[in-house]
Amino acid sequence: MEGQVDKVTLPKKEIKSQSLNTKAWKRLKRNRSAMFGLVIIVASVLLAFFAYAVSPDNSPSANEQIIQLETHPPGFSIQILKVSKNNVEQRGILASLYGGFISQYDPIPITGYKFLKDSLLYFEYKGKSFKPEGRGIAFTDLLGREALELLPAENQAYIVRHLIEKRTYWLGTDKFGRDILSRLIIGIRVSLSVGLISVGISLIIGIFLGSLAGYFSGWVDSAILFVINVFWSIPTLLLAMGLYISAGSLIENKLVMIFIAVGLTMWVDTARIVRGQFIVLREMEFVTAAKSLGFGNLRIIFRHIVPNIWGPIIVVACANFAGAILVESGLSYIGLGIQPPAPSWGGMLNEYKDFIDSNKAYLALFPGVAIMLLVLAFNLVGNGLRDALDVKGQLE
């Protein structure tokens, strides 16, 4: 028929549906500050896991003390002569990665050396205010009986290649001549482990009590809310100190005591958030439907309501993680945390606080900056998750 227009069929666009988690991850990736914090957290976790593999000083607790090198500035370099020890404990690779490598040598800082016929003459570094002292050591003392079977040139080549090394202390040394960079790296383990386990304890207590208070209301809500307000009124650090001091004698492992003390003081925030979410969700239709089907209260709480509030819980967990790091650092700073020689950032601050007014203020600056960066990272990720999980006003 004239004037009739043929119908044109346009190709249909495939619309890919995305889950809420996928959309939240996309929004999180667009948040540069949150991704910056996430990079710091991931790098810290990797450093903590492989701490003894990447630390310049991989001895247990990074506690190799060379007194002649006390409080040397960042970037200081020196040659180290390694003299073999006798009857050294042997440790497997897995145990070494967990607890540190047992050194097979005694380190001697030297400013120079030269070879004699069957011995090594080295000039031992005695400190910034002293002249190097010349000393001699026979090849047999350095290499054992194997030195007798080798030519002098072979002995010299082996010593230069394996027993003399140049070390650079990128962040300087402390008052015991220990490498600050290594102790900072090992100290990450304490901060992250305290944060992880303490937050786990606080989540268990907070979710349980908060869900009971928000779901049942009435006298249950009033009783739990009273306990929350009591804990809320006590400063976290003060409460952790009280728990640490009162129960510290019952638990020998001070790290476990810190886990418990910090965890028992940080559940309040989680409980308040969970209670508020339950008050809203308990009136929703899916809860009413679950009740009409005869499901028990505990099943409704933990299998129907709790999975719907993981977003706010994750956000408050990030904030609690940052708070746990600060509380642990505070406890270590006042001497109630990890005991020397094990390194912790708060303990390092306490150890170096007397240098703040001197030209060696960097000793306290480095652990302070490390605490600040890790706490900032968790706060940035927490804020980013809050924005990414908030679907109100989001277009996608």
Side-chain angles (χ1 to χ4, degrees):
M1 185 180 293
E2 292 184 4
Q4 185 176 3
V5 179
D6 294 336
K7 292 183 179 180
V8 179
T9 304
L10 297 175
K12 294 182 179 180
K13 273 190 176 180
E14 292 186 5
I15 301 176
K16 295 182 179 179
S17 61
Q18 294 179 336
S19 66
L20 293 177
N21 290 336
T22 302
K23 292 180 179 179
W25 171 243
K26 281 188 173 182
R27 288 193 291 268
L28 183 65
K29 286 195 296 184
R30 290 198 296 266
N31 189 326
R32 293 184 179 180
S33 60
M35 295 308 296
F36 171 73
L38 188 60
V39 168
I40 293 178
I41 293 172
V42 171
S44 299
V45 171
L46 292 176
L47 277 177
F49 192 80
F50 298 105
Y52 283 110
V54 300
S55 296
D57 177 10
N58 57 12
S59 63
S61 299
N63 193 42
E64 184 179 72
Q65 300 183 17
I66 307 177
I67 302 299
Q68 302 97 306
L69 303 183
E70 61 173 334
T71 61
H72 279 61
F76 171 75
S77 297
I78 196 168
Q79 288 181 312
I80 300 293
L81 173 64
K82 300 186 290 186
V83 180
S84 299
K85 295 180 180 178
N86 296 322
N87 302 321
V88 179
E89 173 190 353
Q90 298 297 322
R91 180 180 284 184
I93 184 66
L94 291 179
S96 298
L97 288 173
Y98 173 75
F101 293 81
I102 303 298
S103 177
Q104 308 293 317
Y105 304 94
D106 284 320
I108 300 176
I110 60 176
T111 58
Y113 64 91
K114 64 180 181 179
F115 290 103
L116 303 179
K117 182 178 180 182
D118 56 357
S119 63
L120 171 69
L121 175 64
Y122 62 90
F123 300 91
E124 183 177 0
Y125 179 74
K126 305 298 290 185
K128 290 178 284 189
S129 303
F130 302 93
K131 291 183 179 181
E133 181 178 340
R135 294 172 179 256
I137 185 170
F139 290 160
T140 52
D141 293 331
L142 281 174
L143 305 176
R145 295 182 178 179
E146 297 177 358
L148 300 175
E149 302 174 0
L150 301 175
L151 297 174
E154 294 175 327
N155 287 327
Q156 295 175 15
Y158 183 89
I159 291 172
V160 171
R161 189 178 303 115
H162 298 286
L163 300 184
I164 296 177
E165 66 172 341
K166 183 180 180 180
R167 287 189 189 176
T168 300
Y169 295 87
W170 298 107
L171 297 185
T173 59
D174 65 7
K175 59 185 178 181
F176 297 108
R178 299 175 296 193
D179 182 36
I180 294 177
L181 176 60
S182 300
R183 292 182 66 77
L184 282 177
I185 293 174
I186 305 301
I188 295 177
R189 287 185 167 189
V190 175
S191 296
L192 289 181
S193 61
V194 168
L196 181 63
I197 297 178
S198 300
V199 167
I201 295 173
S202 68
L203 286 179
I204 293 172
I205 299 174
I207 292 175
F208 181 74
L209 293 181
S211 61
L212 293 181
Y215 182 80
F216 289 108
S217 67
W219 69 268
V220 176
D221 184 29
S222 299
I224 294 176
L225 195 58
F226 174 77
V227 176
I228 289 175
N229 289 332
V230 170
F231 275 82
W232 186 260
S233 64
I234 304 174
T236 302
L237 184 59
L238 183 62
L239 185 56
M241 287 173 55
L243 289 171
Y244 186 96
I245 294 172
S246 60
S249 59
L250 303 177
I251 301 176
E252 293 183 3
N253 192 324
K254 297 304 179 185
L255 188 58
V256 174
M257 190 62 243
I258 293 176
F259 294 157
I260 297 173
V262 177
L264 290 179
T265 58
M266 304 201 70
W267 61 270
V268 178
D269 289 332
T270 305
R272 291 175 69 248
I273 295 294
V274 171
R275 175 181 174 272
Q277 293 293 316
F278 262 74
I279 290 175
V280 175
L281 293 179
R282 72 187 180 190
E283 306 298 335
M284 301 292 285
E285 292 180 355
F286 73 93
V287 176
T288 305
K291 289 180 179 178
S292 65
L293 291 173
F295 294 155
N297 290 328
L298 291 180
R299 176 171 179 171
I300 295 174
I301 290 173
F302 294 107
R303 295 192 61 180
H304 294 271
I305 301 180
V306 169
N308 285 281
I309 62 173
W310 275 118
I313 289 176
I314 292 173
V315 173
V316 76
C318 287
N320 282 349
F321 210 115
I325 294 172
L326 287 175
V327 172
E328 183 279 325
S329 299
L331 288 173
S332 296
Y333 181 79
I334 61 178
L336 295 180
I338 304 300
Q339 300 302 308
S344 71
W345 293 345
M348 293 174 71
L349 274 176
N350 178 43
E351 194 173 341
Y352 308 146
K353 65 180 184 296
D354 295 333
F355 294 95
I356 292 178
D357 295 332
S358 68
N359 59 355
K360 297 180 177 62
Y362 60 85
L363 290 170
L365 179 65
F366 292 137
V369 170
I371 294 171
M372 182 201 72
L373 279 177
L374 195 55
V375 170
L376 176 64
F378 278 101
N379 284 327
L380 291 176
V381 171
N383 292 337
L385 286 172
R386 180 197 60 201
D387 297 337
L389 294 171
D390 183 12
V391 296
K392 296 179 182 179
Q394 299 287 351
L395 295 178
E396 59 177 53

